[in-house]
Amino acid sequence: GAVVSQHPSRVICKSGTSVKIECRSLDFQATTMFWYRQFPKQSLMLMATSNEGSKATYEQGVEKDKFLINHASLTLSTLTVTSAHPEDSSFYICSARVLPRRGGKNTEAFFGQGTRLTVV
Amino acid sequence: GIQVEQSPPDLILQEGANSTLRCNFSDSVNNLQWFHQNPWGQLINLFYIPSGTKQNGRLSATTVATERYSLLYISSSQTTDSGVYFCAVRESQGGSEKLVFGKGTKLTVNP
């Protein structure tokens, strides 16, 4: 299957600082990537859809200025948690979908390893 | 939006036992995937199965799209099968590309 690489896997930062998380598709191009957040013992909740060359689409209730998303190339999307606070501590995971072949419509999504953010 | 329900929420098995996990969804879908989340949080792709039946070793899955459910079968379970199993779907309507996840089934396989 396709490989999505996410970095860092774990980060601890101080309150008020910003943290950048990278998501790369290693062996395919992804015009669209997705950022999810997962609280302990809960499911994955979509935060935003990252579109190459255009603005991200955020889900209701997600602060755009808090979670900055940049998708500058077909293989890289970044999520920056700005002015982080302890309540931002969570597991963040990205996903990318392989572009469908000619005539195809829907394809499988692959996920990065996730980033465990702890804000102290 | 589409609703995804998984059952059971928790499942405890003895090694060697078989199990069936279920995923119900409230609307028509054009994508359905099953994942296994390991203890480190990594989501492992198990099946991409918007319809039909697939098998991979001890695991198999069936999606009956017209009746809006999917089943994941685990045979001869092993302790390494422990973890959380998620079902995720993409709605057919509206053109949305996002996957909506169920709440998962936490599987514990005891030796």
Side-chain angles (χ1 to χ4, degrees), chain A residues 32-80:
Chain A
T32 305
M33 292 186 176
F34 305 87
W35 288 95
Y36 292 82
R37 182 173 182 175
Q38 186 180 30
F39 290 104
K41 301 185 187 300
Q42 295 190 24
S43 186
L44 280 74
M45 297 300 296
L46 181 67
M47 298 173 64
T49 301
S50 170
N51 303 298
E52 187 268 336
S54 66
K55 291 183 179 180
T57 304
Y58 290 82
E59 294 299 300
Q60 192 172 8
V62 178
E63 297 178 60
K64 300 178 182 181
D65 295 332
K66 159 68 77 175
F67 300 101
L68 298 180
I69 290 173
N70 183 275
H71 194 156
S73 77
L74 287 173
T75 59
L76 174 64
S77 175
T78 61
L79 168 68
T80 301

Side-chain angles (χ1 to χ4, degrees), chain A residues 32 34 36 38 41-44 46 49 59 91 93 97 106-113 116, chain B residues 30-31 33 35 37 40-43 45 47-48 86 90 97-104 106:
Chain A
T32 305
F34 305 87
Y36 292 82
Q38 186 180 30
K41 301 185 187 300
Q42 295 190 24
S43 186
L44 280 74
L46 181 67
T49 301
E59 294 299 300
F91 188 67
I93 188 165
R97 193 162 67 95
N106 300 294
T107 58
E108 190 172 357
F110 293 86
F111 285 77
Q113 303 94 319
R116 194 163 303 281
Chain B
N30 55 32
N31 180 13
Q33 292 185 239
F35 299 93
Q37 188 168 39
W40 298 273
Q42 171 85 55
L43 280 175
N45 287 43
F47 294 102
Y48 168 69
F86 287 105
R90 180 180 300 124
E97 294 188 60
K98 66 183 181 182
L99 280 179
V100 178
F101 281 75
K103 293 185 177 181
K106 182 180 179 182

